[in-house]
Amino acid sequence: MSVLVYTESEQGTFKKTAFEVASYAKAVANQLGTTVTAVAINANDTSALGTYGVDKVLNISNSQLDKFNANAYAAALKQAAESEGAQVVVVSSSADSKYLAPLLAVGLNAGYATNVVAAPSSTSPFTVKRTAFTNKAFENTQINTDVKIVGVSNNAFGLVENSGSASAEEFSPSIPELGVTVESVDKATDKVSIADAEIVVSAGRGLKGPENWGMVEELADVLGAATACSKPVSDLGWRPHSEHVGQTGKPVASNLYIAIGISGAIQHLAGINASKVKVVINTDPEAPFFKAADYGVVGDAFQVVPELIEKLKAFKAQQ
Ligand SMILES: Cc1cc2nc3c(=O)[nH]c(=O)nc-3n(C[C@H](O)[C@H](O)[C@H](O)COP(=O)(O)OP(=O)(O)OC[C@H]3O[C@@H](n4cnc5c(N)ncnc54)[C@H](O)[C@@H]3O)c2cc1C
């Protein structure tokens, strides 16, 4: 009867979203008066999960699951959910989880709500608040199936620490024969990925050309941020497509999003609405981005950004 949560890891280390979905699962378990069981696949050390409300960890160590495979992962999670008698399964909003969750929903005959931003407002009927229309609206959704799958939006619920510790046991699901297998993965970059970044420094066509990205990268380095860009910038080949943010690019749910020389077209804003604090640097005071911004600097990026870097470096040197 416990709440099951899939805690994602990369090369054995939990992603930040793992702790956020665990925190969410704990909130649901409290409402239902039950416990939280996490599924960890090839993770090195699961002890941190207890801090975020997990009571038990099902550890799956299986070389067939070294590389993400939606069918295999969904099969493993289905068996875990069945063995725990889980009523609710919580996953993140990562690309992997959005890929496996529909397969899991079919396997468990479960309803699946994506982009959920808050703990259920009611557990009977089971009602969750989720974003709709590319983050421009919220809707309350009821999941009426016996088993419910909740996909939590990144950075929406946050991390909630508990004083508990989690017990761990080995779990060995049978993995179906895989029609498609990933042989190798070549990452486009070793830098912080946009999806996981706490801070994103993003720039647009206002920067005039790829030769001017040095200051964007420097600002990102000082802040420990990921770099991103608008669509035309990646279309022009100034930056890799992996950095393209927006409706047709990647969504960003960072704590801080700094937009430099980006006009704030609706398709760009669609990808960054979930970010908490938005800072805009633009020469045009009428740029639409200012309407969506928490802080705005009307100014030339070529003056403002180097000054910002200097000030941040001086500030860090004092710490
Ligand atoms: C179907 C569809 C899907 C789309 N999907 C996306 C998407 O996913 N992501 C996306 O980004 N776009 C998307 N677009 C494109 C979108 O409509 C805009 O055209 C695009 O976002 C504009 O990019 P930009 O702001 O970098 O460039 P521009 O619109 O050219 O804006 C540049 C800005 O830089 C400012 N500027 C100029 N010089 C300076 C300076 N020296 N210092 C500071 N500021 C300066 C200007 O005032 C201006 O506001 C999509 C469009 C369509 C039709």
Side-chain angles (χ1 to χ4, degrees), residues 68-90:
F68 177 76
N69 179 296
N71 285 303
Y73 276 47
L77 286 170
K78 176 176 181 282
Q79 290 163 61
E82 286 170 344
S83 98
E84 291 295 300
Q87 282 175 287
V88 180
V89 179
V90 180

Side-chain angles (χ1 to χ4, degrees), residues 205 208 230-231 244-248 261 263 267-268 282 300-301:
R205 212 154 35 180
K208 323 286 188 225
S230 64
K231 182 175 185 292
H244 160 195
V245 157
Q247 186 184 322
T248 48
S263 56
Q267 297 90 353
H268 187 86
N282 198 305
D300 186 340

